[in-house]
Amino acid sequence: MSKQTVFDASRNIDIHQQSASKSNEKVIAGVTSGLINLNETVTWRGKHFGFYLTHKSRITTMNLHDYFVDEMENGKFKSFKHEHFFEEENGITIMKDKLQYETPFGIFGELFDILFLEKHLTQFLLERNKILKEVCEI
């Protein structure tokens, strides 16, 4: 699979919605289908930890087929930045995620992160990437 295929699949709103089905995530505003591009936003509503939460992200940086960043504009995090890196080696595409976030609520937010959130976000990304891999290999 080409780097372009993986890059496009990873910014495809429909594929993301499919990969986030366990949390019942749905698009409620912004780009609602297809590929999201530089400076565009998407707002998600999904159930996490028993609560329906909304999360609005904007694509703040994009270097076609190599790199893009989505950052939270509105949501429950103090800050949230998700970087996506794409490399092609010997005909194989490698995608790497770098997720940086801060929780609100001081020590309580940090404790929640240690006990639950970090594992939840890791599983969320692993599930998303599993679906991306399946979709790209068809």
Side-chain angles (χ1 to χ4, degrees), residues 8-69:
D8 287 346
S10 69
R11 61 192 180 103
N12 185 301
I13 299 299
D14 306 299
I15 294 171
H16 181 88
Q17 197 159 254
Q18 177 187 343
S19 71
S21 62
K22 286 181 181 173
S23 58
N24 201 25
E25 283 205 5
K26 303 281 184 240
V27 179
I28 59 169
V31 178
T32 58
S33 186
L35 301 181
I36 191 166
N37 291 296
L38 184 62
N39 292 321
E40 294 180 334
T41 64
V42 60
T43 303
W44 297 95
R45 182 174 187 269
K47 195 170 193 177
H48 299 272
F49 304 105
F51 300 96
Y52 277 98
L53 305 172
T54 59
H55 183 96
K56 179 181 180 183
S57 287
R58 177 178 300 275
I59 303 299
T60 57
T61 306
M62 184 177 288
N63 181 359
L64 271 183
H65 311 139
D66 293 322
Y67 176 75
F68 75 93
V69 179

Side-chain angles (χ1 to χ4, degrees), residues 6-131:
V6 178
F7 183 88
D8 287 346
S10 69
R11 61 192 180 103
N12 185 301
I13 299 299
D14 306 299
I15 294 171
H16 181 88
Q17 197 159 254
Q18 177 187 343
S19 71
S21 62
K22 286 181 181 173
S23 58
N24 201 25
E25 283 205 5
K26 303 281 184 240
V27 179
I28 59 169
V31 178
T32 58
S33 186
L35 301 181
I36 191 166
N37 291 296
L38 184 62
N39 292 321
E40 294 180 334
T41 64
V42 60
T43 303
W44 297 95
R45 182 174 187 269
K47 195 170 193 177
H48 299 272
F49 304 105
F51 300 96
Y52 277 98
L53 305 172
T54 59
H55 183 96
K56 179 181 180 183
S57 287
R58 177 178 300 275
I59 303 299
T60 57
T61 306
M62 184 177 288
N63 181 359
L64 271 183
H65 311 139
D66 293 322
Y67 176 75
F68 75 93
V69 179
D70 62 90
E71 294 187 69
M72 182 190 75
E73 281 197 349
N74 217 339
K76 296 297 180 196
F77 291 91
K78 195 172 178 181
S79 68
F80 188 96
K81 180 180 182 180
H82 185 186
E83 295 176 277
H84 311 257
F85 300 87
F86 302 84
E87 299 170 4
E88 198 168 323
E89 295 176 15
N90 303 319
I92 296 171
T93 299
I94 298 167
M95 182 187 81
K96 295 179 184 172
D97 289 292
K98 181 178 180 185
L99 185 59
Q100 297 171 281
Y101 62 90
E102 290 179 274
T103 55
F105 311 120
I107 189 74
F108 298 108
E110 289 177 34
L111 191 59
F112 179 74
D113 182 35
I114 291 165
L115 294 175
F116 307 105
L117 185 59
E118 184 178 3
K119 183 180 179 191
H120 176 74
L121 290 172
T122 300
Q123 285 304 120
F124 189 85
L125 287 178
L126 288 172
E127 179 65 21
R128 177 182 185 278
N129 291 345
K130 184 180 119 196
I131 299 292

